[in-house]
Amino acid sequence: MIKMMRMVAVVFLLVILAVEATWCQTGEATMPQIVEKDGRHALLVNEKPFLILGGQAHNSSAWPGMLPQVWSAIEAMHANTLEVPIYWEQLEPQPGKFDFSLVDTLLNQGRVHKVHLVLLWFATWKNGSNHYMPEWMKREAAKYPNITGRNGQPVDSPSPHTQAAMEADAKAFAAVMGYLKKADPQHTVLMVQVENEPGAWGSVRDYSANAQKLFEGAVPAELLKPEILKALNKPVDVKGTWQEVFGDDADEYIHAWSVARYIGYVAAAGKAVNPLPLYVNAALRDPITNPKANTYESGGPTDNVIPIWKAAAPAIDLLAPDIYISNSEKALKIIDLYCRPDNPLFVPEIGSGEEYSRYLYAVIAHGGIGFSPFGIDDNGQGQGKAETEARLASIAQEYAMAGPMMRELAKWSFEGKIKYVVETEDHAEQTIDLDSWQAIVKFGASGWRENKPNSRPIGKAMVVQLGENEFVLIGTLCHFTFKPVGANEGKAWQYLKVEEGHYENGIFKLLRIRNGDETDWGGPRFNNMPVVLHTTLITR
Ligand code: DGJ
């Protein structure tokens, strides 16, 4: 009996140690850091790859009275990270006088809930406008002007050409980063977003006299490097004014350059005092049709101007897409466009509906460092626990599966071992190449021998290749089978073992071995709830 009690105590201690190792609650932790290898990326937290399973609060929910609803949502969705704004207007109520009380509240509550934070610096730009500038700046429109439209009309978007505003933002942002350095040695905060969806709606660029002079001047040498011009599909040997070098794209490109330079300056000021990873999020344009710049937010890091942003704002670690397009061809194209050797993939905002959950698999398989549906809290609607849980059910079940194995997923993803498919609008069957095997994935809710088609395209699957014949299969609303190909072509085969279970502290815990009806009739089936199957195949 005493031996038994001792064993229970040891196991209990191991669990506590494992939780503490993942969540460093006290004392200093190492700086979160983004690393790159062979064009893939990982976010290292306490020196190991970490996958942000996040949720973003509504814009006005970072106030103490609103936070209980935010934490209920985070809990309901099993998220490990909360993305939450901090507001320049609240933080610097008078020039040079800073109030970090909301930051303190977030840090304290994040630690109590054992949830990391990504702070969103709502400052000069929030969705293209200046609405989070402090009152004392809003009252001085001449000193902190907005841009001017093509016909001289006022535009609700701050000028990126105003030194005074840029200096003020940089000073406040450096103060925030300096405060975090002191108040957050345990790195509750993993990353900071600089501004929010910057750029301008309602005008492609600034047409004020000052901006017009810049537009008629020479393009800066930094943008004339052949690799940048090539990436922008422009001739590499042209010099001259914006119009001469960039033609029809000149208006958008100068605005992108000016906004990125400003934000790059703010970011560099913060990074100099505290080198946390920094990113900027983008209000996207249609990723396929190359639309005109006056149809989307101009000047932000849309896919077509990523090279300009990279040149103008080197202190920014990554440019991140906010995905509110659920169509699979477009959403997957966006993921592709923002996953580049020079740009770690991170999706800081995405719709919270069921049709968006499938893209979590795409982000993980692409080596993405995180995923975060927007607007998770009830925004003051007074929803109860049950309503909140129902609203977030789809992503919650994915996070419940992925959370306990997030370190493994992040590592496999960094190593390029994960492949995926998501159900497309035509519900077509898809294949995944796995060297001497091909996985064939059909979508639908499983009956015993047949699939019932999904009414909406929400099925998904991922495969982690652990060895030649050894795989982890994860999915919902689909059905897997395998075909021997390449070196295995034409061979007879069977499942050696299909183990269903979950990962806990790095160890696979078996729930059951699937066999008989659960693997015959064409292979393992996945229903509504994501399931993890450790699967070994054999040829004979
Ligand atoms: C994108 C913005 O980045 C968010 O802050 C929020 O305004 C959402 N749009 C609302 O859909």
Side-chain angles (χ1 to χ4, degrees):
M1 181 65 182
I2 289 183
K3 217 170 153 191
M4 178 77 176
M5 279 167 66
R6 236 186 252 146
M7 254 177 67
V8 170
V10 169
V11 169
F12 183 68
L13 190 69
L14 283 177
V15 170
I16 300 260
L17 286 176
V19 170
E20 286 302 320
T22 324
W23 177 260
C24 190
Q25 216 195 349
T26 50
E28 300 235 348
T30 50
M31 176 70 70
Q33 195 194 348
I34 297 177
V35 291
E36 184 265 351
K37 188 167 181 270
D38 302 330
R40 303 182 72 85
H41 300 92
L43 170 66
L44 302 187
V45 175
N46 293 325
E47 292 168 26
K48 284 191 300 204
F50 183 96
L51 179 63
I52 292 181
L53 301 170
Q56 186 170 142
H58 278 106
N59 293 168
S60 309
S61 297
W63 296 90
M66 302 299 291
L67 284 173
Q69 304 303 307
V70 174
W71 295 117
S72 310
I74 284 286
E75 229 162 73
M77 70 197 288
H78 311 290
N80 62 24
T81 305
L82 167 66
E83 290 182 10
V84 63
I86 51 173
Y87 316 114
W88 192 7
E89 63 178 353
Q90 176 279 328
L91 202 128
E92 194 181 2
Q94 290 166 42
K97 298 249 177 312
F98 296 105
D99 172 357
F100 293 110
S101 57
L102 293 194
V103 176
D104 277 334
T105 303
L106 292 168
L107 290 176
N108 291 336
Q109 295 194 9
R111 288 167 196 155
V112 168
H113 289 270
K114 293 194 188 316
V115 165
H116 281 287
L117 301 174
V118 169
L119 297 181
L120 319 174
W121 175 233
F122 282 13
T124 300
W125 282 272
K126 164 66 177 81
N127 295 27
S129 301
N130 71 0
H131 302 176
Y132 282 88
M133 271 187 183
E135 270 185 50
W136 51 269
M137 294 179 79
K138 287 181 184 161
R139 288 180 195 283
E140 286 208 62
K143 188 166 175 194
Y144 308 109
N146 276 350
I147 63 171
T148 305
R150 185 189 281 276
N151 303 315
Q153 79 276 21
V155 178
D156 183 18
S157 187
S159 160
H161 305 112
T162 308
Q163 189 75 16
M166 186 171 83
E167 296 290 353
D169 194 338
K171 201 169 133 204
F173 186 62
V176 170
M177 296 298 277
Y179 188 76
L180 290 178
K181 188 175 177 173
K182 262 196 335 235
D184 190 31
Q186 57 268 67
H187 297 300
T188 307
V189 176
L190 299 181
M191 302 209 282
V192 180
Q193 178 185 294
V194 193
E195 317 294 338
N196 190 86
E197 293 193 350
W201 292 97
S203 183
V204 176
R205 69 168 170 96
D206 187 4
Y207 292 86
S208 66
N210 178 22
Q212 189 58 27
K213 212 160 121 206
L214 293 173
F215 186 72
E216 285 160 13
V219 172
E222 294 102 307
L223 277 187
L224 293 176
K225 293 186 180 148
E227 64 276 18
I228 294 178
L229 292 171
K230 240 189 248 164
L232 294 167
N233 295 315
K234 300 293 172 196
V236 294
D237 49 0
V238 192
K239 286 195 178 66
T241 65
W242 289 84
Q243 192 73 61
E244 283 162 350
V245 178
F246 296 123
D248 286 350
D249 295 315
D251 290 333
E252 181 185 12
Y253 284 12
I254 192 174
H255 203 53
W257 170 257
S258 308
V259 173
R261 286 280 283 196
Y262 181 124
I263 295 177
Y265 183 85
V266 172
K271 201 148 209 165
V273 287
N274 184 358
L276 278 171
L278 302 178
Y279 73 94
V280 176
N281 61 331
L284 302 174
R285 63 179 203 144
D286 185 295
I288 292 173
T289 57
N290 195 25
K292 288 209 176 318
N294 61 3
T295 61
Y296 54 89
E297 187 179 0
S298 170
T302 45
D303 68 83
N304 54 325
V305 294
I306 290 176
I308 296 179
W309 270 80
K310 291 281 170 193
I316 296 293
D317 295 272
L318 66 98
L319 305 167
D322 290 349
I323 303 182
Y324 291 95
I325 303 174
S326 75
N327 169 274
S328 60
E329 189 191 0
K330 292 189 179 187
L332 295 178
K333 179 74 182 171
I334 291 163
I335 286 170
D336 217 45
L337 288 167
Y338 283 84
C339 179
R340 308 162 33 128
D342 66 351
N343 196 64
L345 174 65
F346 175 52
V347 178
E349 287 184 40
I350 187 161
S352 59
E354 191 174 27
E355 66 279 23
Y356 288 98
S357 295
R358 59 192 155 149
Y359 302 124
L360 171 66
Y361 288 27
V363 168
I364 293 174
H366 273 82
I369 62 168
F371 184 91
S372 185
F374 174 80
I376 57 166
D377 55 296
D378 74 4
N379 210 3
Q381 299 304 300
Q383 278 182 357
K385 192 165 179 270
E387 268 173 291
T388 303
E389 281 175 357
R391 186 166 47 80
L392 298 168
S394 153
I395 193 65
Q397 63 184 27
E398 297 302 331
Y399 282 7
M401 171 278 295
M405 64 188 298
M406 127 343 237
R407 291 287 191 180
E408 285 72 33
L409 286 171
K411 179 171 168 286
W412 293 329
S413 157
F414 187 37
E415 293 167 348
K417 289 187 172 158
I418 308 184
K419 294 191 171 162
Y420 79 101
V421 287
V422 300
E423 185 170 11
T424 50
E425 285 65 19
D426 60 3
H427 309 280
E429 145 183 335
Q430 296 183 51
T431 57
I432 303 176
D433 293 328
L434 303 161
D435 302 327
S436 42
W437 298 98
Q438 185 183 62
I440 299 156
V441 182
K442 292 183 183 164
F443 295 98
S446 85
W448 175 30
R449 293 192 195 188
E450 277 151 17
N451 280 352
K452 209 166 94 232
N454 298 327
S455 54
R456 293 191 303 140
I458 52 175
K460 53 195 171 311
M462 63 178 145
V463 182
V464 187
Q465 184 155 15
L466 295 181
E468 206 186 319
N469 303 313
E470 191 187 341
F471 308 97
V472 175
L473 315 182
I474 302 174
T476 63
L477 294 169
C478 66
H479 168 203
F480 260 81
T481 189
F482 290 88
K483 190 172 149 199
V485 295
N488 285 340
E489 183 87 49
K491 293 185 185 164
W493 70 280
Q494 68 180 130
Y495 293 100
L496 186 64
K497 209 185 245 182
V498 180
E499 298 168 287
E500 180 174 340
H502 69 279
Y503 277 82
E504 220 177 272
N505 300 323
I507 295 162
F508 183 76
K509 304 270 179 168
L510 183 76
L511 171 72
R512 60 172 172 167
I513 292 180
R514 277 203 190 185
N515 207 336
D517 291 343
E518 281 65 54
T519 51
D520 298 340
W521 315 108
R525 291 164 191 275
F526 296 82
N527 255 313
N528 244 323
M529 292 285 285
V531 173
V532 180
L533 299 180
H534 193 146
T535 301
T536 315
L537 309 176
I538 189 171
T539 55
R540 20 187 350 185

